[in-house]
Amino acid sequence: MIREILFKAILIVGLILLTILQTLSIPGQFRYLAQTEPINAYLRWPLTIFGMIAVLMLQLILVSLWKLIREIHTDRPFNPRSLKFLTYIFRSLITLVAIFSGGTLWVLSRADDPGMPFVLILITGFTTLISFIVYEIKQLFARNVAKPDSPAFD
């Protein structure tokens, strides 16, 4: 019970921070970029849109985790609703991988310093790894939803 409350408190703090990032930080950062570096002003709206989509996917992941934790703490954690929330998490992660991959390829085509491409490659690789793990968990849930009389972990 304490772990569930602590986990939900962490999720609430994460959602608050992501909302601040979405409403204040990202738009202001790219507005500032357009003002201080007029040569890169054309990047303002594409970066803002991709940043907003990425934050939205992270928010969807946090809300789905909240609902998944609630489903897991019921008597029957392997049900179609849990599978639905895992599907939302997986699709959000795949969207993030697509955004990070596109950004990484774009930065690699223009980079003169290896620092930023390396960081983006690490973020993309880590997000891809998490996506594979969530996919395997989703398959485990799907197998147990399909066979409700089987034990939870074979």
Side-chain angles (χ1 to χ4, degrees):
M1 183 68 163
I2 297 287
R3 288 187 315 202
E4 181 183 359
I5 293 170
L6 180 63
F7 191 70
K8 286 184 176 184
I10 291 170
L11 289 176
I12 288 171
V13 170
L15 274 172
I16 290 170
L17 291 175
L18 283 173
T19 303
I20 291 170
L21 182 70
Q22 185 179 30
T23 56
L24 301 175
S25 183
I26 290 176
Q29 172 65 34
F30 296 128
R31 181 181 48 80
Y32 179 76
L33 172 78
Q35 288 175 348
T36 58
E37 298 178 30
I39 195 153
N40 292 328
Y42 69 97
L43 294 174
R44 177 183 181 187
W45 291 111
L47 288 175
T48 301
I49 290 168
F50 286 130
M52 293 296 186
I53 292 171
V55 170
L56 183 66
M57 292 300 110
L58 290 171
Q59 289 171 333
L60 181 60
I61 289 170
L62 291 182
V63 170
S64 297
L65 277 173
W66 178 288
K67 293 187 177 269
L68 185 62
I69 292 296
R70 187 182 67 202
E71 290 295 324
I72 287 174
H73 287 289
T74 63
D75 292 334
R76 197 85 185 140
F78 296 101
N79 59 48
R81 286 188 310 266
S82 297
L83 189 59
K84 178 178 70 170
F85 297 131
L86 277 169
T87 301
Y88 291 156
I89 293 169
F90 178 69
R91 288 180 182 172
S92 297
L93 284 169
I94 292 300
T95 303
L96 286 173
V97 167
I99 289 171
F100 292 149
S101 297
T104 301
L105 290 174
W106 185 81
V107 168
L108 280 172
S109 70
R110 301 177 187 278
D112 56 355
D113 176 28
M116 182 57 80
F118 183 71
V119 169
L120 285 173
I121 289 170
L122 283 176
I123 291 171
T124 304
F126 181 73
T127 308
T128 304
L129 176 66
I130 296 297
S131 299
F132 285 135
I133 292 170
V134 168
Y135 179 76
E136 291 299 322
I137 293 170
K138 183 176 168 276
Q139 293 303 314
L140 174 70
F141 268 68
R143 187 177 31 181
N144 286 301
V145 166
K147 298 185 283 185
D149 295 332
S150 67
F153 298 99
D154 296 334

